[in-house]
Amino acid sequence: MINGFKKFASLAGYCDYYTIVCTEVFEGLEPRHEDTMLFVVHKDTPGLSVKGDWDPLGMRGTNSRDLILKDVFVRADDLLMPRGIFNKTLPNWPHMMITLSPTYMGVAQGAYDFMVDYLKGKIPGQPPVDRRMYATKRIAVGKMYARLANMRALWWQAFGESKGFPNKAEVQRMYAAQYNVMEGAAEMTSMAIRTCGGQSMLKSLPLERMYRDSRCGALMLPFTSEIMEDYLGVLSLYEMDELDHAPGDEGGARTSLWRGDSGSGARAVR
């Protein structure tokens, strides 16, 4: 039986199946990360329901409403990973946690592409006004291309290095890529609106939506921008066998920190 509550369940009410991460509870024992399990639950399973409204700043297309599970029965066939395996995915393959970043890399590229077409007067339904003669706008385009290029280069490198059991430098580049993409997407859309001018704020044009969507990526757990700053700082300043004792984790915010084969990470993969 599964009982629980899932906040921000993407496509809630539209999926045929939901993947549910939960913790197996044993009588007399406190719940442990090592007992995390992953199930798939069909939308028509008794006890599964969707509640609430979805009216956020951005990401409106995800319809990420609340998923309620009350005495939801699952079978062995519904288990997506054997017992004890899900908790090994983070220390063994940490790049799995940055799979939101391709969406925001696409938003950044989309904002740049829209801005270029807008300045060329090539937006469908808009007057074919050529705005390329203004030096201020050309300079802004150059800055945005440079920002986009360094975001993309680091992002491609990080995904190119994704594999089981990466080293410390590869993990740091992965964290840096996540941070740069999520922060960079918001910067790119803001610069695009500023460069295109007032008309680009209209809801009839996609840049307004991109601007709202881009602000949301940096807020998504487990790898928010603030968590990435912390992880990069900790991995830079502490040796691997010191991570479990690095100050600042009183609230448990570092549960998703890669620890390699040291510290609690070694215990988690036993």
Side-chain angles (χ1 to χ4, degrees):
M1 291 288 188
I2 299 180
N3 285 282
F5 170 86
K6 173 69 176 80
K7 193 72 176 174
F8 293 168
S10 295
L11 300 182
Y14 295 92
C15 292
D16 291 325
Y17 292 91
Y18 298 94
T19 54
I20 306 297
V21 179
C22 52
T23 303
E24 189 172 13
V25 177
F26 299 94
E27 187 175 353
L29 295 176
E30 287 292 320
R32 308 183 308 164
H33 289 296
E34 291 91 331
D35 298 319
T36 302
M37 304 179 77
L38 182 65
F39 285 95
V40 63
V41 177
H42 190 268
K43 64 179 181 180
D44 296 328
T45 303
L48 182 73
S49 60
V50 176
K51 301 291 185 182
D53 298 319
W54 183 241
D55 188 23
L57 168 72
M59 294 172 56
R60 294 182 180 179
T62 67
N63 200 62
S64 301
R65 295 190 288 158
D66 301 337
L67 201 63
I68 313 296
L69 298 97
K70 184 174 177 58
D71 294 335
V72 172
F73 180 74
V74 289
R75 306 164 301 164
D77 289 346
D78 300 321
L79 190 61
L80 291 181
M81 294 182 182
R83 278 183 172 87
I85 296 300
F86 183 83
N87 198 53
K88 296 180 181 181
T89 57
L90 173 63
N92 293 357
W93 198 294
H95 290 73
M96 68 174 284
M97 295 294 187
I98 64 166
T99 50
L100 282 179
S101 65
T103 298
Y104 293 90
M105 190 71 239
V107 171
Q109 182 70 57
Y112 176 83
D113 292 343
F114 174 89
M115 178 191 63
V116 169
D117 287 344
Y118 184 86
L119 296 179
K120 290 180 178 179
K122 293 185 176 181
I123 300 298
Q126 295 293 306
V129 179
D130 191 333
R131 301 172 174 88
R132 292 173 294 178
M133 74 291 294
Y134 301 110
T136 52
K137 296 188 182 298
R138 293 200 300 268
I139 291 171
V141 172
K143 288 181 177 179
M144 285 185 64
Y145 183 88
R147 182 72 173 98
L148 183 66
N150 67 42
M151 285 168 57
R152 183 176 291 280
L154 180 57
W155 183 75
W156 271 114
Q157 182 176 7
F159 270 94
E161 293 174 339
S162 63
K163 61 179 181 293
F165 307 104
N167 61 41
K168 184 177 180 178
E170 290 166 340
V171 171
Q172 286 185 287
R173 281 191 289 272
M174 180 262 289
Y175 289 156
Q178 169 79 3
Y179 179 85
N180 273 277
V181 168
M182 294 309 188
E183 291 298 307
E187 293 172 18
M188 292 288 290
T189 56
S190 179
M191 289 174 66
I193 287 179
R194 187 172 178 174
T195 303
C196 291
Q199 267 194 308
S200 64
M201 295 188 296
L202 298 175
K203 287 185 178 291
S204 59
L205 297 175
L207 196 53
E208 182 269 348
R209 172 181 51 77
M210 293 178 186
Y211 180 75
R212 290 185 291 101
D213 286 345
S214 69
R215 185 61 272 170
C216 299
L219 314 177
M220 296 295 105
L221 291 168
F223 283 176
T224 69
S225 289
E226 291 75 17
I227 289 175
M228 293 298 89
E229 290 171 339
D230 179 51
Y231 286 6
L232 285 165
V234 167
L235 287 179
S236 297
L237 295 172
Y238 290 86
E239 300 302 324
M240 294 302 297
D241 59 0
E242 297 179 301
L243 293 182
D244 283 342
H245 307 290
D249 193 28
E250 291 81 3
R254 291 193 188 127
T255 55
S256 61
L257 172 64
W258 172 85
R259 288 174 165 84
D261 57 1
S262 301
S264 63
R267 293 192 291 274
V269 300
R270 68 181 184 274

